[in-house]
């Protein structure tokens, strides 16, 4: 999810690390409303979205939301490689 400003830079860093780990990743091109970005992901059958608002950024984390179930969990940015491995195994 793209919140613009520092959030967009943070999200770009996450996307870059996931791509380098072999996970297909897309960042919404502008900071539209959250609902619009989630609808876009849903229409493209994207199974997971990453949300990184101010609270997550200040904690060095992000929220991973599974679109199919709505389940969300917080993940430390240092664990992104473990997440990438897990996502590749589910694909």
């Amino acid at each position: 999810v793209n919140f613009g400003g520092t959030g967009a830079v943070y999200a770009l860093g996450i996307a870059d690390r996931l791509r380098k780990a072999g996970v297909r990743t897309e960042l919404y091109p502008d900071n539209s409303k959250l609902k619009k970005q989630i609808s876009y992901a849903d229409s493209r059958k994207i199974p997971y979205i990453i949300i990184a608002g101010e609270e997550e950024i200040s904690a060095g984390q992000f929220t991973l939301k599974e679109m199919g179930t709505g389940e969300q969990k917080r993940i430390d940015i240092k664990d992104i490689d473990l997440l990438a491995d897990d996502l590749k195994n589910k694909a």
Side-chain angles (χ1 to χ4, degrees):
V1 174
N2 183 350
F3 289 118
T6 57
V9 172
Y10 191 80
L12 232 107
I14 293 170
D16 185 53
R17 288 183 64 186
L18 288 170
R19 287 179 186 131
K20 286 179 180 173
V23 177
R24 291 185 335 180
T25 307
E26 185 175 336
L27 181 62
Y28 198 80
D30 59 40
N31 63 342
S32 297
K33 293 187 182 218
L34 179 61
K35 186 175 181 177
K36 182 176 181 180
Q37 294 185 57
I38 290 173
S39 292
Y40 173 81
D42 194 42
S43 72
R44 299 206 14 109
K45 308 265 187 272
I46 295 171
Y48 300 94
I49 61 169
I50 290 178
I51 302 167
E54 291 178 23
E55 189 177 310
E56 288 94 348
I57 293 169
S58 66
Q61 300 177 326
F62 56 88
T63 298
L64 179 73
K65 179 176 181 171
E66 187 173 347
M67 294 293 287
T69 65
E71 181 183 339
Q72 296 184 160
K73 62 182 172 181
R74 281 254 181 123
I75 298 173
D76 287 335
I77 197 80
K78 64 180 175 53
D79 295 330
I80 200 162
D81 294 327
L82 296 172
L83 171 65
D85 289 342
D86 188 40
L87 292 175
K88 286 189 296 188
N89 289 333
K90 290 181 179 180

Coordinates of all heavy atoms in Angstrom, one line a residue:
V1 N 0.9 -1.2 0.0 CA 0.0 0.0 0.0 C 0.9 1.2 0.0 O 1.9 1.3 0.7 CB -0.9 0.0 1.2 CG1 -1.7 1.3 1.3 CG2 -1.9 -1.2 1.2
N2 N 0.6 2.2 -0.8 CA 1.3 3.4 -1.0 C 0.7 4.5 -0.2 O -0.4 5.0 -0.6 CB 1.5 3.7 -2.4 CG 2.3 4.9 -2.7 OD1 2.7 5.7 -1.8 ND2 2.6 5.2 -4.0
F3 N 1.3 5.0 0.9 CA 0.8 6.1 1.6 C 1.4 7.5 1.3 O 1.1 8.5 1.8 CB 0.9 5.9 3.1 CG 0.0 4.8 3.7 CD1 0.5 3.7 4.3 CD2 -1.4 5.0 3.6 CE1 -0.3 2.7 4.8 CE2 -2.2 4.0 4.1 CZ -1.7 2.9 4.7
G4 N 2.4 7.4 0.3 CA 3.0 8.6 -0.1 C 4.2 9.0 0.8 O 4.3 8.5 1.9
G5 N 4.9 10.0 0.4 CA 6.0 10.5 1.3 C 7.0 9.5 1.8 O 7.4 8.6 1.0
T6 N 7.3 9.6 3.1 CA 8.2 8.6 3.7 C 7.7 7.2 3.6 O 8.4 6.2 3.6 CB 8.6 9.0 5.1 OG1 7.4 9.1 5.9 CG2 9.4 10.3 5.2
G7 N 6.3 7.1 3.7 CA 5.7 5.7 3.6 C 6.0 5.1 2.3 O 6.2 3.9 2.2
A8 N 6.0 5.9 1.2 CA 6.2 5.3 -0.1 C 7.7 4.9 -0.2 O 8.0 3.8 -0.8 CB 5.9 6.4 -1.2
V9 N 8.6 5.7 0.3 CA 10.0 5.3 0.3 C 10.2 4.0 1.1 O 10.9 3.1 0.7 CB 10.9 6.4 0.9 CG1 12.3 6.0 1.0 CG2 10.8 7.7 0.0
Y10 N 9.6 3.9 2.3 CA 9.7 2.7 3.1 C 9.1 1.5 2.3 O 9.7 0.4 2.3 CB 8.9 2.9 4.4 CG 9.1 1.9 5.5 CD1 10.2 1.9 6.3 CD2 8.1 0.9 5.7 CE1 10.4 1.0 7.3 CE2 8.3 0.0 6.7 CZ 9.4 0.0 7.5 OH 9.6 -0.9 8.5
A11 N 7.9 1.7 1.7 CA 7.3 0.6 0.9 C 8.2 0.2 -0.2 O 8.3 -1.0 -0.6 CB 5.9 1.0 0.5
L12 N 8.8 1.1 -0.9 CA 9.7 0.8 -2.0 C 10.9 0.0 -1.6 O 11.3 -1.0 -2.3 CB 10.2 2.1 -2.7 CG 10.0 2.1 -4.1 CD1 8.9 3.1 -4.5 CD2 11.2 2.5 -4.8
G13 N 11.4 0.2 -0.4 CA 12.5 -0.6 0.2 C 12.0 -2.0 0.4 O 12.8 -2.9 0.1
I14 N 10.8 -2.2 1.0 CA 10.3 -3.5 1.2 C 10.1 -4.2 -0.2 O 10.5 -5.4 -0.3 CB 9.0 -3.4 2.0 CG1 9.2 -2.9 3.4 CG2 8.3 -4.8 2.0 CD1 8.0 -2.6 4.2
A15 N 9.5 -3.5 -1.1 CA 9.2 -4.1 -2.4 C 10.5 -4.5 -3.1 O 10.6 -5.6 -3.7 CB 8.5 -3.1 -3.3
D16 N 11.6 -3.7 -3.0 CA 12.9 -4.0 -3.6 C 13.5 -5.3 -3.0 O 14.0 -6.2 -3.7 CB 13.8 -2.8 -3.4 CG 15.1 -3.0 -4.1 OD1 15.1 -3.3 -5.3 OD2 16.2 -2.9 -3.4
R17 N 13.4 -5.4 -1.6 CA 13.9 -6.6 -1.0 C 13.2 -7.8 -1.4 O 13.8 -8.9 -1.5 CB 14.0 -6.4 0.5 CG 15.0 -5.4 1.0 CD 15.1 -5.2 2.4 NE 15.5 -6.4 3.1 CZ 15.6 -6.5 4.4 NH1 15.3 -5.5 5.2 NH2 16.0 -7.6 5.0
L18 N 11.8 -7.7 -1.5 CA 11.1 -8.9 -1.9 C 11.4 -9.3 -3.3 O 11.5 -10.5 -3.6 CB 9.6 -8.6 -1.7 CG 9.1 -8.5 -0.3 CD1 7.6 -8.0 -0.2 CD2 9.2 -9.9 0.4
R19 N 11.5 -8.3 -4.2 CA 11.8 -8.6 -5.6 C 13.2 -9.3 -5.7 O 13.3 -10.3 -6.4 CB 11.8 -7.3 -6.4 CG 10.5 -6.8 -6.7 CD 10.5 -5.5 -7.5 NE 9.2 -5.0 -7.6 CZ 8.9 -3.7 -7.4 NH1 9.8 -2.8 -7.0 NH2 7.7 -3.3 -7.5
K20 N 14.2 -8.8 -4.9 CA 15.5 -9.4 -5.0 C 15.5 -10.8 -4.4 O 16.3 -11.7 -4.8 CB 16.5 -8.6 -4.1 CG 16.9 -7.3 -4.9 CD 17.9 -6.5 -4.1 CE 18.2 -5.2 -4.8 NZ 19.0 -4.3 -4.0
A21 N 14.5 -11.1 -3.6 CA 14.3 -12.5 -3.0 C 13.5 -13.4 -3.9 O 13.2 -14.5 -3.6 CB 13.7 -12.4 -1.6
G22 N 13.0 -12.8 -5.1 CA 12.3 -13.6 -6.0 C 10.8 -13.6 -5.9 O 10.1 -14.4 -6.5
V23 N 10.3 -12.7 -5.1 CA 8.8 -12.6 -4.9 C 8.3 -11.5 -5.8 O 8.7 -10.3 -5.8 CB 8.5 -12.2 -3.4 CG1 7.0 -12.0 -3.2 CG2 9.0 -13.3 -2.5
R24 N 7.3 -11.9 -6.6 CA 6.7 -10.9 -7.5 C 6.0 -9.8 -6.6 O 5.2 -10.1 -5.8 CB 5.7 -11.5 -8.4 CG 6.3 -12.4 -9.5 CD 5.4 -13.0 -10.5 NE 4.0 -13.1 -10.0 CZ 3.0 -13.5 -10.7 NH1 3.2 -13.9 -11.9 NH2 1.8 -13.6 -10.2
T25 N 6.3 -8.6 -6.9 CA 5.8 -7.5 -6.1 C 5.4 -6.3 -6.9 O 6.0 -6.0 -7.9 CB 7.0 -7.0 -5.1 OG1 7.5 -8.2 -4.4 CG2 6.5 -6.0 -4.1
E26 N 4.4 -5.6 -6.4 CA 3.8 -4.5 -7.1 C 3.5 -3.4 -6.1 O 3.0 -3.7 -5.0 CB 2.5 -4.9 -7.8 CG 1.9 -3.8 -8.7 CD 0.7 -4.3 -9.5 OE1 0.6 -5.5 -9.7 OE2 -0.1 -3.5 -9.8
L27 N 3.9 -2.2 -6.4 CA 3.6 -1.0 -5.5 C 2.6 -0.1 -6.2 O 2.8 0.3 -7.4 CB 4.8 -0.2 -5.1 CG 4.6 0.9 -4.2 CD1 4.1 0.5 -2.8 CD2 6.0 1.7 -4.0
Y28 N 1.5 0.2 -5.6 CA 0.4 1.0 -6.2 C 1.1 2.3 -6.5 O 1.9 2.9 -5.8 CB -0.7 1.2 -5.2 CG -2.0 1.7 -5.8 CD1 -2.8 0.9 -6.5 CD2 -2.3 3.1 -5.8 CE1 -4.0 1.3 -7.1 CE2 -3.4 3.5 -6.4 CZ -4.3 2.7 -7.1 OH -5.4 3.1 -7.7
P29 N 0.8 2.9 -7.7 CA 1.6 4.0 -8.3 C 1.4 5.4 -7.5 O 2.2 6.3 -7.7 CB 1.1 4.1 -9.7 CG -0.2 3.4 -9.8 CD -0.1 2.4 -8.7
D30 N 0.3 5.5 -6.8 CA 0.1 6.8 -6.1 C -0.5 6.5 -4.7 O -0.9 5.4 -4.4 CB -0.7 7.8 -6.9 CG -2.1 7.3 -7.2 OD1 -2.7 6.6 -6.4 OD2 -2.5 7.6 -8.4
N31 N -0.6 7.6 -3.9 CA -1.1 7.4 -2.5 C -2.6 7.6 -2.5 O -3.1 8.4 -1.7 CB -0.4 8.3 -1.6 CG -0.6 9.8 -1.9 OD1 -1.0 10.1 -2.9 ND2 -0.3 10.6 -0.9
S32 N -3.4 6.8 -3.2 CA -4.8 6.8 -3.2 C -5.3 6.3 -1.9 O -4.6 5.7 -1.1 CB -5.4 6.0 -4.3 OG -5.0 6.5 -5.6
K33 N -6.6 6.4 -1.6 CA -7.2 5.9 -0.4 C -7.0 4.4 -0.3 O -6.9 3.7 -1.2 CB -8.7 6.2 -0.4 CG -8.9 7.7 -0.3 CD -10.4 8.0 -0.1 CE -10.6 9.5 -0.1 NZ -11.6 10.0 0.8
L34 N -6.8 4.0 1.0 CA -6.5 2.6 1.3 C -7.6 1.7 0.7 O -7.2 0.7 0.1 CB -6.5 2.4 2.8 CG -6.2 1.0 3.3 CD1 -4.9 0.5 2.9 CD2 -6.3 1.0 4.8
K35 N -8.8 2.0 0.8 CA -9.9 1.2 0.2 C -9.7 1.0 -1.3 O -9.9 -0.1 -1.8 CB -11.3 1.8 0.5 CG -12.4 0.9 0.0 CD -13.7 1.5 0.5 CE -14.9 0.6 0.0 NZ -16.2 1.1 0.5
K36 N -9.3 2.0 -2.0 CA -9.1 1.9 -3.5 C -7.9 1.0 -3.8 O -8.0 0.2 -4.7 CB -8.8 3.3 -4.1 CG -8.6 3.3 -5.6 CD -8.5 4.7 -6.1 CE -8.3 4.7 -7.6 NZ -8.1 6.0 -8.2
Q37 N -6.9 1.1 -3.0 CA -5.7 0.3 -3.2 C -6.0 -1.2 -2.9 O -5.6 -2.1 -3.6 CB -4.5 0.8 -2.3 CG -4.0 2.1 -2.8 CD -2.8 2.6 -2.1 OE1 -1.8 1.9 -2.1 NE2 -2.9 3.8 -1.4
I38 N -6.8 -1.4 -1.8 CA -7.2 -2.8 -1.5 C -8.1 -3.4 -2.6 O -7.9 -4.5 -3.0 CB -7.8 -2.9 -0.1 CG1 -6.8 -2.6 1.0 CG2 -8.5 -4.2 0.1 CD1 -7.3 -2.5 2.4
S39 N -9.0 -2.6 -3.1 CA -9.9 -3.0 -4.2 C -9.1 -3.4 -5.4 O -9.3 -4.4 -6.1 CB -10.9 -1.9 -4.6 OG -11.8 -1.8 -3.5
Y40 N -8.0 -2.6 -5.7 CA -7.2 -2.8 -6.9 C -6.5 -4.2 -6.7 O -6.4 -5.0 -7.6 CB -6.1 -1.7 -7.0 CG -5.1 -2.0 -8.0 CD1 -5.3 -1.7 -9.4 CD2 -3.8 -2.5 -7.7 CE1 -4.3 -2.0 -10.3 CE2 -2.8 -2.7 -8.6 CZ -3.1 -2.5 -9.9 OH -2.1 -2.7 -10.9
A41 N -5.9 -4.4 -5.5 CA -5.2 -5.7 -5.2 C -6.2 -6.8 -5.3 O -5.8 -7.9 -5.9 CB -4.6 -5.7 -3.8
D42 N -7.4 -6.7 -4.8 CA -8.4 -7.7 -4.9 C -8.8 -8.0 -6.4 O -8.9 -9.2 -6.8 CB -9.6 -7.3 -4.1 CG -10.6 -8.5 -3.8 OD1 -10.1 -9.6 -3.5 OD2 -11.8 -8.2 -3.9
S43 N -8.9 -7.0 -7.2 CA -9.3 -7.2 -8.6 C -8.2 -7.9 -9.4 O -8.5 -8.6 -10.3 CB -9.7 -5.8 -9.2 OG -8.5 -5.1 -9.4
R44 N -7.0 -7.7 -8.9 CA -5.8 -8.4 -9.6 C -5.5 -9.7 -9.0 O -4.5 -10.3 -9.3 CB -4.6 -7.4 -9.6 CG -4.9 -6.1 -10.3 CD -3.8 -5.4 -10.9 NE -2.5 -6.0 -11.1 CZ -2.0 -6.4 -12.3 NH1 -2.8 -6.2 -13.4 NH2 -0.8 -6.9 -12.4
K45 N -6.3 -10.1 -8.0 CA -6.1 -11.4 -7.4 C -4.7 -11.5 -6.7 O -4.1 -12.5 -6.6 CB -6.3 -12.6 -8.3 CG -7.6 -12.6 -9.1 CD -8.6 -13.4 -8.5 CE -9.9 -13.5 -9.3 NZ -10.8 -12.5 -9.1
I46 N -4.3 -10.4 -6.1 CA -3.1 -10.3 -5.3 C -3.4 -10.9 -4.0 O -4.2 -10.4 -3.3 CB -2.5 -8.9 -5.2 CG1 -2.2 -8.4 -6.7 CG2 -1.4 -8.8 -4.3 CD1 -1.9 -6.9 -6.8
P47 N -2.6 -12.0 -3.6 CA -3.0 -12.7 -2.4 C -2.6 -12.0 -1.1 O -3.2 -12.3 0.0 CB -2.2 -14.0 -2.5 CG -1.1 -13.7 -3.4 CD -1.6 -12.7 -4.3
Y48 N -1.6 -11.1 -1.1 CA -1.2 -10.4 0.1 C -0.9 -9.0 -0.2 O -0.4 -8.6 -1.2 CB 0.2 -11.0 0.6 CG 0.1 -12.5 1.0 CD1 0.4 -13.5 0.0 CD2 -0.3 -12.9 2.2 CE1 0.3 -14.8 0.3 CE2 -0.4 -14.3 2.5 CZ -0.1 -15.2 1.6 OH -0.2 -16.5 1.9
I49 N -1.2 -8.1 0.8 CA -0.8 -6.7 0.7 C 0.1 -6.4 2.0 O -0.1 -7.0 3.0 CB -1.9 -5.8 0.6 CG1 -2.9 -5.8 1.8 CG2 -2.7 -6.0 -0.7 CD1 -3.9 -4.7 1.8
I50 N 0.9 -5.4 1.8 CA 1.7 -5.0 2.9 C 1.3 -3.5 3.2 O 1.2 -2.7 2.3 CB 3.2 -5.0 2.6 CG1 3.6 -6.5 2.5 CG2 4.1 -4.2 3.6 CD1 5.1 -6.7 2.2
I51 N 1.1 -3.3 4.5 CA 0.7 -2.0 5.0 C 1.7 -1.5 5.9 O 2.1 -2.2 6.9 CB -0.7 -2.0 5.7 CG1 -1.8 -2.6 4.8 CG2 -1.1 -0.7 6.2 CD1 -3.1 -3.0 5.5
A52 N 2.3 -0.3 5.7 CA 3.3 0.3 6.5 C 2.9 1.8 6.8 O 3.3 2.6 6.0 CB 4.7 0.1 5.9
G53 N 2.2 2.0 7.9 CA 1.9 3.4 8.2 C 2.9 3.9 9.2 O 4.0 3.3 9.4
E54 N 2.7 5.1 9.7 CA 3.6 5.7 10.6 C 4.0 4.8 11.8 O 5.2 4.8 12.2 CB 3.1 7.0 11.1 CG 2.9 8.1 10.1 CD 2.3 9.4 10.6 OE1 2.4 9.6 11.8 OE2 1.7 10.1 9.8
E55 N 3.1 4.2 12.4 CA 3.3 3.3 13.6 C 4.3 2.2 13.2 O 5.2 1.9 13.9 CB 2.0 2.8 14.1 CG 2.2 2.1 15.5 CD 0.8 1.7 16.0 OE1 -0.1 2.5 16.0 OE2 0.7 0.5 16.4
E56 N 4.0 1.5 12.1 CA 4.8 0.4 11.7 C 6.2 0.9 11.3 O 7.2 0.3 11.7 CB 4.2 -0.3 10.4 CG 3.0 -1.2 10.7 CD 1.7 -0.4 10.5 OE1 1.7 0.8 10.3 OE2 0.7 -1.1 10.5
I57 N 6.3 2.0 10.6 CA 7.6 2.5 10.2 C 8.5 2.9 11.4 O 9.6 2.5 11.5 CB 7.4 3.7 9.3 CG1 6.8 3.3 7.9 CG2 8.8 4.5 9.0 CD1 6.4 4.5 7.1
S58 N 7.9 3.5 12.4 CA 8.7 3.9 13.6 C 9.1 2.7 14.4 O 10.1 2.7 15.0 CB 7.9 4.9 14.5 OG 6.8 4.3 15.0
A59 N 8.4 1.6 14.2 CA 8.8 0.4 15.0 C 9.7 -0.6 14.1 O 10.1 -1.6 14.6 CB 7.5 -0.4 15.4
G60 N 9.9 -0.2 12.8 CA 10.7 -1.0 11.9 C 10.0 -2.3 11.6 O 10.5 -3.4 11.5
Q61 N 8.7 -2.1 11.3 CA 7.8 -3.3 11.0 C 6.9 -2.9 9.8 O 7.0 -1.8 9.3 CB 6.9 -3.6 12.2 CG 7.7 -3.9 13.5 CD 6.7 -4.2 14.6 OE1 5.7 -3.5 14.7 NE2 7.1 -5.1 15.5
F62 N 6.1 -3.9 9.4 CA 5.0 -3.7 8.5 C 3.9 -4.7 8.8 O 4.2 -5.7 9.5 CB 5.5 -3.8 7.0 CG 6.2 -5.1 6.7 CD1 5.4 -6.2 6.3 CD2 7.6 -5.2 6.8 CE1 6.1 -7.4 6.0 CE2 8.2 -6.4 6.5 CZ 7.4 -7.5 6.1
T63 N 2.7 -4.5 8.3 CA 1.6 -5.4 8.5 C 1.4 -6.2 7.2 O 1.3 -5.5 6.1 CB 0.4 -4.6 8.9 OG1 0.6 -4.0 10.1 CG2 -0.8 -5.6 9.1
L64 N 1.4 -7.5 7.3 CA 1.1 -8.3 6.1 C -0.4 -8.8 6.3 O -0.8 -9.3 7.3 CB 2.0 -9.6 6.1 CG 1.7 -10.5 5.0 CD1 2.2 -9.9 3.7 CD2 2.4 -11.9 5.3
K65 N -1.2 -8.5 5.2 CA -2.6 -8.9 5.2 C -2.8 -9.9 4.2 O -2.5 -9.7 3.0 CB -3.5 -7.6 5.0 CG -5.0 -8.0 4.9 CD -5.8 -6.8 4.7 CE -7.3 -7.2 4.7 NZ -8.2 -6.1 4.8
E66 N -3.4 -11.0 4.5 CA -3.8 -12.1 3.6 C -5.2 -11.7 3.1 O -6.1 -11.6 3.8 CB -3.8 -13.4 4.3 CG -4.0 -14.5 3.3 CD -3.8 -15.9 3.9 OE1 -3.3 -16.0 5.0 OE2 -4.3 -16.9 3.3
M67 N -5.3 -11.4 1.8 CA -6.5 -11.0 1.2 C -7.6 -12.0 1.3 O -8.8 -11.6 1.5 CB -6.3 -10.6 -0.3 CG -5.3 -9.4 -0.4 SD -6.0 -7.8 0.2 CE -7.3 -7.5 -1.1
G68 N -7.3 -13.2 1.2 CA -8.4 -14.3 1.2 C -9.1 -14.4 2.5 O -10.3 -14.6 2.6
T69 N -8.3 -14.3 3.6 CA -8.9 -14.5 4.9 C -9.1 -13.2 5.7 O -9.8 -13.2 6.7 CB -8.0 -15.4 5.8 OG1 -6.7 -14.8 6.0 CG2 -7.8 -16.8 5.1
G70 N -8.3 -12.2 5.3 CA -8.4 -10.9 6.1 C -7.4 -10.9 7.3 O -7.3 -9.9 8.0
E71 N -6.8 -12.0 7.5 CA -5.8 -12.2 8.6 C -4.7 -11.2 8.4 O -4.1 -11.1 7.3 CB -5.3 -13.6 8.7 CG -4.4 -13.8 9.8 CD -3.8 -15.2 9.9 OE1 -4.4 -16.1 9.3 OE2 -2.7 -15.4 10.5
Q72 N -4.3 -10.5 9.5 CA -3.2 -9.6 9.5 C -2.2 -10.0 10.5 O -2.6 -10.4 11.6 CB -3.7 -8.2 9.7 CG -4.6 -7.6 8.7 CD -4.9 -6.2 8.9 OE1 -5.4 -5.5 8.0 NE2 -4.8 -5.7 10.1
K73 N -0.9 -9.7 10.2 CA 0.1 -9.9 11.3 C 1.3 -8.9 11.0 O 1.6 -8.6 9.9 CB 0.6 -11.4 11.3 CG 1.3 -11.9 10.1 CD 1.8 -13.3 10.2 CE 2.3 -13.9 8.9 NZ 2.6 -15.3 9.0
R74 N 1.8 -8.5 12.2 CA 3.0 -7.6 12.1 C 4.2 -8.4 12.0 O 4.4 -9.4 12.6 CB 3.0 -6.8 13.4 CG 2.1 -5.6 13.5 CD 2.8 -4.3 13.3 NE 2.0 -3.2 13.4 CZ 2.1 -2.2 14.2 NH1 3.1 -2.2 15.1 NH2 1.3 -1.2 14.2
I75 N 5.1 -7.8 11.1 CA 6.4 -8.5 10.9 C 7.5 -7.5 11.0 O 7.4 -6.3 10.5 CB 6.4 -9.1 9.4 CG1 5.3 -10.2 9.4 CG2 7.8 -9.7 9.1 CD1 5.1 -10.8 8.0
D76 N 8.6 -7.8 11.6 CA 9.8 -7.0 11.7 C 10.5 -6.9 10.4 O 10.6 -8.0 9.7 CB 10.8 -7.5 12.8 CG 10.3 -7.3 14.2 OD1 9.5 -6.3 14.4 OD2 10.7 -8.0 15.1
I77 N 10.9 -5.8 10.0 CA 11.6 -5.6 8.7 C 12.8 -6.5 8.6 O 13.1 -7.0 7.5 CB 12.0 -4.1 8.5 CG1 12.3 -3.9 7.0 CG2 13.1 -3.7 9.4 CD1 11.1 -3.7 6.2
K78 N 13.4 -6.9 9.7 CA 14.6 -7.8 9.7 C 14.2 -9.2 9.3 O 15.1 -10.0 8.9 CB 15.4 -7.7 11.0 CG 14.6 -8.3 12.2 CD 15.4 -8.2 13.5 CE 14.6 -8.6 14.7 NZ 13.9 -9.8 14.7
D79 N 13.0 -9.5 9.4 CA 12.5 -10.9 9.1 C 11.9 -11.0 7.6 O 11.3 -12.0 7.3 CB 11.4 -11.3 10.1 CG 12.0 -11.5 11.5 OD1 13.2 -11.8 11.6 OD2 11.2 -11.2 12.4
I80 N 12.2 -10.0 6.8 CA 11.6 -10.0 5.5 C 12.1 -11.1 4.6 O 11.4 -11.6 3.8 CB 11.9 -8.6 4.8 CG1 10.9 -8.4 3.6 CG2 13.3 -8.5 4.3 CD1 10.7 -7.0 3.2
D81 N 13.4 -11.6 4.8 CA 13.9 -12.7 4.0 C 13.1 -14.0 4.4 O 12.8 -14.8 3.5 CB 15.4 -12.9 4.2 CG 16.2 -11.7 3.7 OD1 15.7 -11.1 2.6 OD2 17.2 -11.4 4.2
L82 N 12.8 -14.2 5.7 CA 12.0 -15.3 6.1 C 10.6 -15.3 5.4 O 10.0 -16.3 5.0 CB 11.8 -15.4 7.6 CG 13.1 -15.6 8.4 CD1 12.9 -15.4 9.9 CD2 13.7 -16.9 8.1
L83 N 10.0 -14.1 5.4 CA 8.7 -13.9 4.8 C 8.8 -14.2 3.3 O 7.9 -14.9 2.8 CB 8.2 -12.4 5.0 CG 7.0 -12.1 4.2 CD1 5.8 -12.9 4.6 CD2 6.7 -10.6 4.3
A84 N 9.8 -13.7 2.6 CA 10.0 -14.0 1.2 C 10.1 -15.5 0.9 O 9.4 -16.0 0.0 CB 11.2 -13.3 0.7
D85 N 10.8 -16.2 1.8 CA 10.9 -17.7 1.6 C 9.5 -18.3 1.8 O 9.1 -19.2 1.0 CB 11.9 -18.3 2.6 CG 13.3 -18.0 2.3 OD1 13.6 -17.6 1.1 OD2 14.1 -18.1 3.2
D86 N 8.8 -17.9 2.8 CA 7.4 -18.4 3.0 C 6.5 -18.1 1.9 O 5.7 -19.0 1.5 CB 6.9 -17.8 4.3 CG 5.6 -18.5 4.8 OD1 5.5 -19.7 4.7 OD2 4.7 -17.7 5.3
L87 N 6.5 -16.9 1.4 CA 5.6 -16.5 0.3 C 6.0 -17.3 -1.0 O 5.1 -17.7 -1.7 CB 5.7 -15.0 0.0 CG 5.2 -14.1 1.0 CD1 5.4 -12.7 0.7 CD2 3.7 -14.4 1.3
K88 N 7.2 -17.6 -1.3 CA 7.6 -18.3 -2.5 C 7.2 -19.8 -2.3 O 6.7 -20.4 -3.3 CB 9.1 -18.3 -2.7 CG 9.6 -16.9 -3.2 CD 11.0 -17.0 -3.6 CE 12.0 -17.2 -2.5 NZ 13.4 -17.0 -2.8
N89 N 7.2 -20.3 -1.1 CA 6.7 -21.7 -0.9 C 5.2 -21.8 -1.1 O 4.7 -22.9 -1.4 CB 7.2 -22.2 0.5 CG 8.7 -22.4 0.6 OD1 9.3 -22.7 -0.4 ND2 9.2 -22.2 1.8
K90 N 4.5 -20.8 -0.8 CA 3.0 -20.8 -1.0 C 2.6 -20.6 -2.4 O 1.4 -20.9 -2.8 CB 2.4 -19.7 -0.1 CG 2.5 -20.1 1.4 CD 1.8 -19.0 2.2 CE 1.9 -19.4 3.7 NZ 1.2 -18.4 4.5
A91 N 3.5 -20.0 -3.2 CA 3.1 -19.7 -4.6 C 2.9 -20.9 -5.5 O 3.3 -22.0 -5.2 CB 4.1 -18.8 -5.2

